[in-house]
């Protein structure tokens, strides 16, 4: 860390304990991004905290954690914009999620940990992997109309036209057979 | 985005007439007449014997009611019996009038076809769904025809934990298989129209891209060969609108599931053969493991709401039967390919879960009464609808029969009237009243048990199947175990069905809290909550009959015993331990257990040890905010959601503020779901979470 402490136990107007908290939060975020190599992670945290300390010297009203996180966010977003070749537009709130998705799809945690947050130039393969990394939840839409066709519920609503029921004759035949059995039964008892 | 286009001009419904172009082998509808007339004949013999018995002991209005109920119930068991007889004969001699009868379809090219495999899910275990999909994907990849298929997880999940985990599982799976652009995930913000609405929304967005689609259930799997066979069959027979396969029950562990699995695999083949025989091109659709021709389905099967109030009016719940009927109405053939192997599903693990499923199905099937007499439906479709309705009405009808019988016995004791036995219609049988009653009983038992006996006989005639089931002796013992269990289970199911039917008819909702399922199966507490009424009825009824006439008690014992033992039966049969013990004893073995398909083995192995990641909505929301990658996946999927994008607009600030102040627990489930549906809010929350360090409570 480049900034010198103005007094013992204090860096840029904040206690060492406060900077330790800031370190932990940044470290946790990088860990969440699966930057698992401790050396690389340590270097990145130092880089981010250096920027935070510089700001703390002039913005003493902000907490160390807030400063460090803002610097982390700024650095990551700037880096995403550069790698993905997208404009760094403050209104582009989804650039960060696009970048994180690209990191995952390009397998940064597995293959490119050392490139994360490094300044250009980056390996061609890494840049291509990042820029081509996006997924689609579905193929192109090809909208069609589907309209429910009314079902004529027939006798259930009118209860008038039972004779049109298919197999009606079969049912009548069975009923006739049943009736025959009843008649025989009655005659023999 | 393309503008919405109608499928075809309203006047010209189809580009060709399915009826004129039919190529599938068909037999006449005379089969239905002969088949069911056989059942009527068996019923009439039993009914006459029973009427004669009642005559001997004296007519009364209650006895007429008893005879009517007996006749209806015997007709239903006769239908099963005829299925057994026909199926046994058909499996010996074959049936040329079957869509799979000619193997020529196997040489049919599927070049130029496009098929979507859709997995509609509703709060299912995402790991299970994704492993099913992976299994089918890999099976199709092995055939070398993968490029003709796309896969869709169509989520209707309402629980935030399930939704987030689905996204995570889908992403992991698609990444592992390098299948972006082949396996898709879509979640609906509103689950309008339930499963049929889910499919309809898929078809409206993407249906035109696919000539066919195959519907899967959350727990269903199909082999690559079967999937290809289905497409080839559809290509061979352009007039076929739908082909339903017969899913084999697999992956059962608990005793209950293994009993059902065994019954499905032993008795299934002869029933399927008989079903295929009489259904022919007028088959049915069971909602999954079926291939559907997209265009006619889109034109004909967008179901309207039924007039009137619930439970009969409103949305058609069991849509599948009606969809098949509507296709058939417009001359599209609906076939049952019962002999296509490689179609699998799973069974509920216990009696309670099984009843939960029945509860949903009972209302849907009873609602079919509204459609039963719809104009233009084919007779065979009405037959399917009727059988579905009767399947659930048989429970209350049986209960009425038993109550009427009990009343008659009590009436005799109460009045002190002696039974005067007169001459019978069947004097040549030389039977006294007791023997006559025994004859009626045996007749009923034969109609019930003959299909089981014929299934074992069918197995004995087939060396390969015999070996796959562990031999004839083991199979016979297993069939005995299954018969004893189903005898005890039947009265429990009767009371469950009666409750469901009564609730449906009265327009009431059957309350059913989420089950507290222990690792070892149904807990005693849960079993008590669901079965205490059954137990009391069993003991009360048994004691009452004993008090009236101890000799009659023994006739009622199987029914009372099932009810008395309902709690332990539910607990023990839901246990995996008992299921394993039965397996170790060589009982209830099925071919998929003795010679498991590698596809299923791999799927089971991959599912080993996989557990749900999130305990609840709080956990899931926090993870989707905190985890940089999960947040990115979630936000990206929300941005892809063009069908029903969710924007919180004015509410966003309130909800996010509430979340940041109080943590996820400070929001209601609906609010959490709302918040998680807004991509901008979720992206902002991720940034804010980390900017605040550990500001958000865990």
């Amino acid at each position: 860390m480049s900034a010198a402490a103005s007094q013992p136990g204090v860096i840029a107007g904040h206690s060492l304990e406060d900077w330790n908290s800031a370190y932990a939060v940044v470290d946790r975020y990088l860990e969440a991004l699966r930057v698992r190599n401790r050396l690389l992670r340590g270097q990145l945290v130092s880089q981010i905290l250096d920027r935070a300390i510089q700001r703390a010297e002039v913005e003493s009203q902000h907490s160390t954690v807030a400063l460090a996180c803002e610097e982390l966010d700024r650095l990551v977003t700037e880096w995403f914009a550069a790698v993905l070749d997208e404009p760094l537009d403050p209104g582009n709130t989804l650039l960060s999620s696009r970048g994180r998705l690209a990191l995952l799809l390009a397998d940064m945690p597995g293959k490119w940990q050392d490139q994360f947050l490094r300044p250009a130039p980056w390996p061609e393969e890494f840049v291509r992997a990042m820029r081509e990394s996006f997924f689609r939840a579905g193929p192109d839409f090809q909208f069609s109309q589907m309209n429910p066709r009314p079902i004529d519920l027939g006798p259930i609503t009118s209860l008038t036209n039972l004779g049109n029921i298919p197999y009606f004759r079969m049912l009548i035949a069975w009923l006739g057979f049943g009736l025959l059995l009843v008649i025989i039964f009655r005659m023999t008892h | 985005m393309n503008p919405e286009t109608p499928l075809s001009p309203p006047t010209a419904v189809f580009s060709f007439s399915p009826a004129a172009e039919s190529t599938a082998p068909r037999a006449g509808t005379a089969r239905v007449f002969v088949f069911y007339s056989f059942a009527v004949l068996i019923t009439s013999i039993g009914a006459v014997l029973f009427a004669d018995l009642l005559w001997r002991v004296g007519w009364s209005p209650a006895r007429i009611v008893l005879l009517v109920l007996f006749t209806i119930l015997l007709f239903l068991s006769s239908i099963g019996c005829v299925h057994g007889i026909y199926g046994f004969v058909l499996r010996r001699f074959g049936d040329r009038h079957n869509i799979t009868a000619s193997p020529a379809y196997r040489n049919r090219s599927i070049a130029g076809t496009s098929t979507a495999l859709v997995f509609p899910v509703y709060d299912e275990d995402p790991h299970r769904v994704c492993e099913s999909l992976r299994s089918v994907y890999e099976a199709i990849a092995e055939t070398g025809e993968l490029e003709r298929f796309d896969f869709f997880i169509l989520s209707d999940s309402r629980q935030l934990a399930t939704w987030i985990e689905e996204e995570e599982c889908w992403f992991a799976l698609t990444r592992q298989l390098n299948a972006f652009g082949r396996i898709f995930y879509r979640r609906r913000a509103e689950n309008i129209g339930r499963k049929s609405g889910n499919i309809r929304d898929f078809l409206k967005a993407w249906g035109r891209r696919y000539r066919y689609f195959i519907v899967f259930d959350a727990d269903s799997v199909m082999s690559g060969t079967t999937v290809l066979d289905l497409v080839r069959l559809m290509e061979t027979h352009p007039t076929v609108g739908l082909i339903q396969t017969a899913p084999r029950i697999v992956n059962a562990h608990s005793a209950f599931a293994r009993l059902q699995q065994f019954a499905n695999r032993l008795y299934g083949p002869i029933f399927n053969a008989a079903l295929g025989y009489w259904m022919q091109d007028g088959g049915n659709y069971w909602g999954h493991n079926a291939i559907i021709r997209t265009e006619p389905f889109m034109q004909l099967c967008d179901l309207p709401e039924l007039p009137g109030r619930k439970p009969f009016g409103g949305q058609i719940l069991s849509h599948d039967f009606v969809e098949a009927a509507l296709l058939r109405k417009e001359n599209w053939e609906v076939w049952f390919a019962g002999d296509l192997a490689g179609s699998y599903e799973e069974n509920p693990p216990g009696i309670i879960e099984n009843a939960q499923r029945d509860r949903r199905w009972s209302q849907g099937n009873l609602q079919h009464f509204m459609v039963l007499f719809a104009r233009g439906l084919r007779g065979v479709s009405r037959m399917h609808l009727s059988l579905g309705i009767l399947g659930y009405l048989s429970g209350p009808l049986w209960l009425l029969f038993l109550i009427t019988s009990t009343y008659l016995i009590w009436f005799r004791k109460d009045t002190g009237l002696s039974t005067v036995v007169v001459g019978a219609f069947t004097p040549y049988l030389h039977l006294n009243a007791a023997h006559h009653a025994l004859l009626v009983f045996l007749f009923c038992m034969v109609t019930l048990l003959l299909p089981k006996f014929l299934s074992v006989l069918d197995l004995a005639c087939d060396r390969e199947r015999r070996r796959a089931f562990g031999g004839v002796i083991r199979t016979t013992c297993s069939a005995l175990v299954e018969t004893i269990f189903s005898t005890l289970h039947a009265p429990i199911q009767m009371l469950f069905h009666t409750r469901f039917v009564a609730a449906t008819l009265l327009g009431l909702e059957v309350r059913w809290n989420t089950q507290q399922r222990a690792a070892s199966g149904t807990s005693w507490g849960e079993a008590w909550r669901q079965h205490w009424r059954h137990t009391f009825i069993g003991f009360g009824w048994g004691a009452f009959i004993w008090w009236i006439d101890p000799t009659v008690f023994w006739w009622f014992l199987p029914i009372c015993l099932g009810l008395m033992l309902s709690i332990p039966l539910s607990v023990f049969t839901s246990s995996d331990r008992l299921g394993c013990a039965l397996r170790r004893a060589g009982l209830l073995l099925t071919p998929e257990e003795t010679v498991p398909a590698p596809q299923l083995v791999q799927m089971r192995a991959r599912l080993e040890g996989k557990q749900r990641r999130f305990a609840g909505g709080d956990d899931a929301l926090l993870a989707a905010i905190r985890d940089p990658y999960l947040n990115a996946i979630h936000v990206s999927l929300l941005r892809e959601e063009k069908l029903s994008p969710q924007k919180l607009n004015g509410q966003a600030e309130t909800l996010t503020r509430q979340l940041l102040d109080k943590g996820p627990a400070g929001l209601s489930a609906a609010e959490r779901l709302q918040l998680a549906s807004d991509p901008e809010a979720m992206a902002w929350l991720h940034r804010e979470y980390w900017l605040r360090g550990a500001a958000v409570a865990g």
Side-chain angles (χ1 to χ4, degrees), chain A residues 14 17 20 30 48-49 52 54 68 86 110 138:
Chain A
H14 294 278
E17 195 49 46
N20 202 36
L30 294 176
I48 290 158
L49 288 190
Q54 280 170 19
E86 290 206 7

Side-chain angles (χ1 to χ4, degrees), chain B residues 273-289:
Chain B
L275 272 177
Y277 171 84
W278 69 261
M279 291 197 303
Q280 293 289 290
D281 57 356
N284 205 357
Y285 173 37
W286 298 339
H288 57 90
N289 290 43

Side-chain angles (χ1 to χ4, degrees), chain B residues 291-333:
Chain B
I291 189 167
I292 300 171
R293 194 176 298 273
T294 312
E295 189 176 355
F297 188 88
M298 288 177 73
Q299 287 200 10
L300 304 169
C301 298
D302 189 4
L303 303 180
E305 293 214 340
L306 295 175
R309 286 183 303 170
K310 288 177 181 176
F312 290 103
Q315 186 204 335
I316 298 176
L317 299 174
S318 288
H319 53 93
D320 38 15
F321 280 38
V322 182
E323 286 159 354
L326 293 176
L327 282 173
R328 195 66 207 103
K329 177 173 170 259
E330 298 293 340
N331 294 324
W332 288 96
E333 294 167 26

Side-chain angles (χ1 to χ4, degrees), chain A residues 2-33:
Chain A
S2 57
S6 54
Q7 60 187 90
V10 173
I11 299 175
H14 294 278
S15 70
L16 286 177
E17 195 49 46
D18 287 346
W19 287 112
N20 202 36
S21 301
Y23 187 103
V25 172
V26 174
D27 185 63
R28 214 161 56 225
Y29 189 75
L30 294 176
E31 197 179 6
L33 281 170

Side-chain angles (χ1 to χ4, degrees), chain B residues 316-564:
Chain B
I316 298 176
L317 299 174
S318 288
H319 53 93
D320 38 15
F321 280 38
V322 182
E323 286 159 354
L326 293 176
L327 282 173
R328 195 66 207 103
K329 177 173 170 259
E330 298 293 340
N331 294 324
W332 288 96
E333 294 167 26
V334 177
W335 282 89
F336 176 59
D339 53 348
L340 278 188
S343 174
Y344 309 102
E345 66 170 333
E346 291 182 9
N347 199 69
I351 290 174
I352 295 174
E353 290 89 343
N354 194 61
Q356 273 176 316
R357 189 178 67 173
D358 275 349
R359 182 197 57 164
R360 292 197 309 272
W361 289 357
S362 70
Q363 190 179 346
N365 276 276
L366 292 177
Q367 197 189 31
H368 287 163
F369 186 76
M370 289 290 285
V371 192
L372 190 59
F373 301 106
R375 285 183 217 284
L377 290 195
R378 297 294 184 93
V380 72
S381 301
R382 294 181 207 277
M383 193 70 84
H384 295 308
L385 295 168
S386 308
L387 289 174
I389 296 166
L390 282 171
Y392 287 92
L393 282 182
S394 59
L397 289 175
W398 188 27
L399 182 64
L400 272 177
F401 176 80
L402 293 172
I403 290 171
T404 313
S405 305
T406 309
Y407 165 76
L408 283 169
I409 301 161
W410 171 80
F411 183 77
R412 197 185 61 196
K413 182 186 170 71
D414 189 55
T415 55
L417 294 172
S418 57
T419 303
V420 180
V421 178
V422 300
F425 170 53
T426 49
Y428 53 88
L429 291 176
H430 302 297
L431 297 170
N432 61 30
H435 288 152
H436 194 153
L438 189 65
L439 178 68
V440 173
F441 174 75
L442 288 176
F443 187 87
C444 296
M445 286 300 107
V446 168
T447 59
L448 284 171
L449 300 177
L450 187 63
K452 297 192 183 210
F453 171 74
L454 290 174
S455 298
V456 177
L457 195 62
D458 177 68
L459 181 94
C461 299
D462 186 332
R463 194 177 165 201
E464 205 176 314
R465 279 189 80 219
R466 206 164 59 215
R467 195 174 296 167
F469 274 83
V472 175
I473 294 172
R474 278 180 176 168
T475 309
T476 308
C477 293
S478 303
L480 283 173
V481 170
E482 190 279 327
T483 305
I484 292 167
F485 170 75
S486 54
T487 307
L488 295 173
H489 181 219
I492 301 170
Q493 203 158 359
M494 169 188 78
L495 290 188
F496 270 133
H497 284 192
T498 304
R499 184 177 158 206
F500 301 153
V501 169
T504 302
L505 294 178
L506 295 171
L508 302 172
E509 191 184 346
V510 179
R511 285 179 182 275
W512 205 303
N513 298 328
T514 311
Q515 203 193 335
Q516 302 300 310
R517 193 175 163 77
S520 54
T522 304
S523 65
W524 286 96
E526 178 64 17
W528 167 257
R529 273 190 292 281
Q530 298 299 340
H531 295 296
W532 67 268
R533 295 179 197 88
H534 303 157
T535 310
F536 277 115
I537 290 171
F539 277 105
W541 202 339
F544 184 61
I545 299 277
W546 180 269
W547 172 71
I548 297 171
D549 187 347
T551 54
V552 178
F553 172 79
W554 302 107
W555 291 88
F556 277 78
L557 185 63
I559 293 151
C560 295
L561 197 64
L563 296 175
M564 288 175 201

